[in-house]
């Protein structure tokens, strides 16, 4: 119960916590069943929360979200159902993230900036093609026009 006060757990994570406390077999099953009945454990709700956080706050792509759901022990059918509600706008989210990060690469040559930005995007779970397109577009938008006016 202490672990559940800190963050939501999947059923698999709850079993892992019980196993680490040397609670196994029928005793662990009884505790998990009671937590499920009372709504303390709910993989569907947890998957929806993780997808919301990953898309709205972290700007992650579908691959990274699916990886997180798998790591947390969410069943693949539950994970797919949670991801089905997400609009498939990886390109737009990647471009938004790339635009924000491109400002930091103003003092770096374009090839280096492109490589770093694509790396950041792929680590966030965007495919190589989406990452490359977003990085190029963001760097093109952030490129100085070359005209400077001084007083």
């Amino acid at each position: 119960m202490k672990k559940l006060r800190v963050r939501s757990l999947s059923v698999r994570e709850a079993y892992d916590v019980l196993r680490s406390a040397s609670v196994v077999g029928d005793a662990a099953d009884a505790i998990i069943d009671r937590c499920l009945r009372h709504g303390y454990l709910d993989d569907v709700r947890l998957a929806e929360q993780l997808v919301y956080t990953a898309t709205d706050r972290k700007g992650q792509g579908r691959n990274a979200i699916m990886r997180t759901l798998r790591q947390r022990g969410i069943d693949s059918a539950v994970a797919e159902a949670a991801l089905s509600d997400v609009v498939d706008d990886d390109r737009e989210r990647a471009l938004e993230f790339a635009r924000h990060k491109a400002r930091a690469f103003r003092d770096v040559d374009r090839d280096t900036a492109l490589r770093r930005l694509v790396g950041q995007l792929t680590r966030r779970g965007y495919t190589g093609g989406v990452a490359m397109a977003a990085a190029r577009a963001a760097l093109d938008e952030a490129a100085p026009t070359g005209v400077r006016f001084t007083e």
Side-chain angles (χ1 to χ4, degrees):
M1 295 308 279
K2 287 180 183 179
K3 292 282 187 182
L4 285 172
R5 288 185 197 139
V6 176
R7 75 175 192 158
S8 297
L9 299 175
S10 69
V11 172
R12 192 203 72 201
E13 289 173 322
Y15 270 114
D16 291 345
V17 168
L18 291 172
R19 193 175 309 113
S20 70
S22 299
V23 178
V24 293
D26 291 339
D29 291 339
I31 292 169
I32 296 294
D33 287 341
R34 189 172 53 208
C35 287
L36 287 167
R37 275 195 318 273
H38 291 292
Y40 299 136
L41 295 175
D42 186 345
D43 282 359
V44 172
R45 189 177 59 209
L46 176 61
E48 290 169 354
Q49 289 172 346
L50 291 171
V51 168
Y52 171 78
T53 300
T55 55
D56 287 357
R57 286 205 243 148
K58 296 181 179 178
Q60 291 181 327
R62 295 177 77 81
N63 292 340
I65 297 169
M66 185 56 91
R67 191 176 330 115
T68 298
L69 294 172
R70 284 188 193 127
Q71 287 172 346
R72 297 286 305 266
I74 304 294
D75 181 67
S76 61
V78 173
E80 287 294 334
L83 275 172
S84 70
D85 294 339
V86 174
V87 177
D88 192 11
D89 64 345
D90 272 4
R91 292 183 192 280
E92 187 58 39
R93 277 197 313 265
L95 183 57
E96 184 179 320
F97 176 81
R99 283 177 178 146
H100 176 72
K101 292 294 185 175
R103 295 181 209 121
F105 298 121
R106 287 186 180 145
D107 297 333
V108 179
D109 68 277
R110 182 175 171 86
D111 290 338
T112 302
L114 183 64
R115 187 180 68 250
R116 290 179 184 174
L117 194 50
V118 168
Q120 287 180 358
L121 287 162
T122 55
R123 284 189 297 277
R124 286 190 166 272
Y126 296 104
T127 62
V130 169
M132 183 62 77
R136 283 184 175 146
L139 291 172
D140 288 345
E141 291 174 10
T145 59
V147 177
R148 291 198 167 197
F149 297 98
T150 59
E151 293 181 34

